[in-house]
């Protein structure tokens, strides 16, 4: 599998990659937090504001029609990218967090009662913990947690035993933002469905790595953020099976989500509009579609392949450093590598790497329960994208070596 | 030495370093030599919020003079804390409250710290001043 562009061509598409940080060439390895945007997205957003800005679905005029068409075309692009069954199953939100909160609220209103149970995993981002906790508090329901091994693999045996007749929904992450583990979501969904229980998959860390097919996974909800898949900020997606979305009450009221409004009674619009109250981030949605088109044109499998090869290089290089601890050691993982060099604090490591121009993330990565599971206060996380180079990975390894010398 | 003389001395010391690496190596050394911290004071009460690394700051007040001791789990932070203690410890509440802290910028620490991190640094300075204010108020009422 080969990318359709050379690495030089690809890097030229991302102007920010030529930034200098503290006078050194920036080495951006914080792609798990947010990804950089190609010119194809930046220029399109610019063009939209210059030539095609009007409110969607609200006008009879030329510009409104043009932008509404492009907004709906963006929905179709997202549908095709994740292989959803129908375009109305794609709801635009402001991001993963908003998508999960929408489901937790709407599903919770409809289906959760006192004593019911909700299952999440021990490796969730706070965005897939807190909304469910809030729901549990509102409805006096119970949160149950799937444990995982030292390697960072979910314990499916334990998962099966957590499923009871009180379980109402399962919400798990496709890929751990700390460990990089790709969870067996297809199996998790199949097992839940055997009990008639729907599953939400948090795709914030899987969408950018090429391999998402919601119909193959058969999940009931799949959510992700545009900014983590080379698209703009403030746009995200909530995919839901049509049957499910039709059953749920809307989460927010306002314009566009209604069919008919009187002071006595309001009837709601059909999906997806029922869940898109108010003026949506239509420029963001169109920009997101451009980002997905960019990845498709590069070759999704080739993107995944390149990232795996960079990950292998980083893992080999870092593992050779004495005393290093890597968190997330299953071979079935994406290009995210969490580590601690010996007893050196993640913050010390991150500070020194920063001075070398290397951007990594340090801390708990919004996954405090996971840190507690390992008994640590945080990690250093390098998250690699296809636009990173072999030289950058070598620089990271060299940088971490230097850190271990400085703090020896 | 008064607070400004100490600050000037620190600025002089850092002025001798050629590049960032030497400055950080010095901070790391300072971190290593930070005095011991009483484990009993490692409680939430003395933990400073707003830092990426954990920092505990413990004040004591005797004969009109404030002494600070501190601890952190990160070495560079320990180095920064050591500098702050050198500047603030051993002075009266009024001296600390009135002090103008300029050495952080002059030694290029603030510009080298990202906003969230420098918040941590500023949070430490703020906490030291708050303790001084509290002791000052106590003095005035006794
Ligand atoms: C696994 C996972 N879920 C959810 C989120 C939240 O995404 P956002 O902040 O874009 O809503 C993140 C972001 O870091 C994540 O990694």
């Amino acid at each position: 599998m080969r990318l359709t562009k050379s690495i030089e061509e690809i890097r030229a598409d991302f102007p920010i990659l030529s930034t200098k940080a503290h006078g050194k060439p920036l080495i951006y390895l914080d792609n798990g937090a947010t990804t950089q945007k190609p010119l194809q997205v930046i220029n399109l957003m610019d063009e939209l504001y210059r030539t095609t800005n009007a409110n969607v679905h609200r006008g009879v005029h030329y510009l409104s029609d043009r932008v509404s068409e492009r907004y709906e075309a963006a929905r179709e692009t997202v549908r095709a990218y994740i292989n959803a069954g129908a375009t109305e199953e794609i709801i635009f939100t402001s991001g993963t967090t908003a998508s999960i909160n929408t489901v937790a609220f709407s599903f919770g209103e409809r289906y959760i009662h006192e004593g019911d149970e909700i299952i999440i995993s021990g490796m969730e981002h706070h965005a897939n913990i807190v909304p469910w906790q809030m729901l549990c508090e509102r409805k006096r329901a119970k949160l149950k947690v799937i444990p995982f091994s030292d390697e960072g693999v979910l314990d499916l045996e334990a998962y099966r035993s957590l499923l009871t007749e009180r379980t109402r929904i399962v919400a798990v992450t496709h890929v751990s933002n700390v460990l990089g583990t790709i969870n067996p979501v297809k199996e998790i969904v199949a097992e839940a469905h055997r009990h008639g229980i729907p599953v939400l998959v948090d795709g914030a860390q899987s969408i950018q790595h090429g391999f998402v097919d919601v119909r193959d996974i058969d999940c009931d909800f799949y959510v992700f953020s545009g900014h983590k898949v080379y698209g703009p900020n403030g746009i995200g997606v909530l995919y839901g099976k049509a049957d499910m979305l039709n059953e749920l009450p809307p989460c927010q009221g306002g314009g566009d989500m209604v069919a008919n409004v009187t002071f006595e009674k309001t009837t709601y619009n059909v999906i997806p509009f029922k869940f898109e109250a108010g003026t949506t981030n239509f420029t963001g949605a169109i920009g997101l579609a451009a980002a997905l088109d960019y990845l498709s044109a590069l070759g999704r499998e080739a993107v995944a392949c390149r990232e795996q090869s960079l990950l292998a290089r980083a893992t080999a290089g870092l593992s050779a450093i004495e005393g290093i601890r890597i968190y997330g050691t299953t071979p079935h993982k994406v290009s995210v590598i969490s580590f601690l060099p010996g007893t050196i604090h993640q913050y010390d490591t991150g500070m020194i790497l920063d001075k070398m121009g290397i951007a990594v993330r340090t801390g708990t990565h919004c996954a405090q329960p996971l840190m507690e599971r390992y008994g640590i206060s945080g990690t250093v996380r390098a998250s690699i994208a296809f636009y990173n180079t072999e030289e950058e990975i070598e620089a990271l390894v060299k940088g971490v070596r230097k850190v271990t010398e400085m703090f020896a | 030495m008064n607070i400004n003389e100490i600050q000037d001395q620190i600025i002089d010391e850092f002025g001798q370093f050629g590049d960032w690496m030497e400055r950080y190596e010095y901070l790391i050394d300072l971190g290593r030599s930070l005095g011991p911290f009483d484990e009993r004071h490692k409680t939430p009460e003395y933990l400073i919020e707003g830092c990426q690394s954990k920092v505990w700051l413990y004040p004591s007040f005797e004969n009109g003079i404030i002494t600070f001791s501190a601890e952190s789990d990160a070495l560079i932070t320990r180095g920064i804390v050591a500098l702050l203690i050198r500047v603030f410890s051993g002075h009266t509440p009024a001296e600390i409250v009135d002090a103008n802290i300029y050495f952080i910028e002059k030694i290029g620490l603030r510009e080298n710290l990202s906003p969230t991190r420098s918040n941590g640094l500023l949070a430490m300075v703020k906490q030291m001043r708050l303790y001084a204010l509290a002791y000052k108020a106590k003095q005035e009422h006794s």
Side-chain angles (χ1 to χ4, degrees), chain A residues 69 90 119 197 205 208 244-245 283 290 320 340-341 389-390 399:
Chain A
E69 256 168 43
I90 306 300
I119 296 179
I197 301 162
Q205 296 292 342
Q208 61 278 60
M244 178 62 84
L245 291 177
T283 25
L340 285 174
T389 64
E390 283 77 3

Side-chain angles (χ1 to χ4, degrees), chain A residues 3-52:
Chain A
L3 293 159
T4 56
K5 289 185 177 184
S6 71
I7 185 67
E8 292 75 25
E9 287 169 319
I10 289 172
R11 288 183 71 85
D13 285 339
F14 293 84
I16 207 169
L17 296 179
S18 53
T19 303
K20 292 258 190 300
H22 306 298
K24 313 221 167 45
L26 169 72
I27 297 179
Y28 187 74
L29 294 171
D30 195 15
N31 296 285
T34 201
T35 52
Q36 302 304 344
K37 324 303 173 199
L39 283 171
Q40 287 77 352
V41 171
I42 298 169
N43 290 344
L44 177 75
M45 305 282 287
D46 184 75
E47 187 244 329
L48 278 177
Y49 280 117
R50 285 172 194 279
T51 68
T52 323

Side-chain angles (χ1 to χ4, degrees), chain A residues 107-305:
Chain A
F107 186 90
E109 282 308 294
R110 179 83 171 75
Y111 294 111
I112 303 290
H113 301 100
E114 183 167 350
D116 285 346
E117 294 167 5
I118 295 166
I119 296 179
I120 62 172
S121 90
M123 58 171 82
E124 299 305 319
H125 186 280
H126 294 164
N128 202 29
I129 302 174
V130 183
W132 302 112
Q133 275 176 332
M134 289 164 63
L135 170 60
C136 285
E137 241 168 69
R138 267 198 322 271
K139 301 282 181 176
R140 296 163 173 272
K142 261 218 282 288
L143 196 65
K144 298 212 169 167
V145 182
I146 311 167
F148 61 90
S149 70
D150 287 346
E151 293 73 37
V153 176
L154 287 182
D155 181 346
L156 291 189
E157 206 54 48
Y159 165 59
R160 282 184 204 102
S161 66
L162 287 179
L163 290 163
T164 71
E165 69 274 19
R166 295 310 303 264
T167 310
R168 292 292 170 261
I169 190 166
V170 176
V172 288
T173 195
H174 195 175
V175 166
S176 159
N177 66 319
V178 179
L179 309 169
T181 309
I182 304 168
N183 288 321
V185 284
K186 202 173 160 175
E187 268 181 86
I188 290 172
V189 169
E191 191 65 36
H193 284 181
R194 264 193 280 286
H195 296 74
I197 301 162
V199 178
L200 175 141
V201 173
D202 176 353
Q205 296 292 342
S206 60
I207 187 76
Q208 61 278 60
H209 298 293
F211 50 79
V212 175
D213 180 333
V214 293
R215 270 190 289 181
D216 179 56
I217 298 169
D218 199 26
C219 52
D220 302 86
F221 302 101
Y222 179 87
V223 299
F224 67 90
S225 299
H227 73 94
K228 289 190 199 281
V229 60
Y230 311 99
N233 299 329
I235 187 74
V237 168
L238 160 57
Y239 157 79
K241 286 182 179 169
D243 292 348
M244 178 62 84
L245 291 177
N246 280 322
E247 283 300 310
L248 300 186
C251 173
Q252 291 188 320
D256 266 0
M257 53 78 71
V258 288
N260 195 31
V261 179
T262 67
F263 287 118
E264 288 69 44
K265 180 161 177 65
T266 290
T267 53
Y268 301 131
N269 205 338
V270 294
I271 59 166
F273 310 113
K274 181 168 83 173
F275 291 99
E276 292 182 355
T279 297
T280 57
N281 180 4
F282 52 87
T283 25
I286 299 167
L288 167 59
L292 298 179
D293 283 340
Y294 180 84
L295 289 177
S296 297
L298 266 189
R300 290 167 64 170
E301 267 180 72
V303 162
C305 261

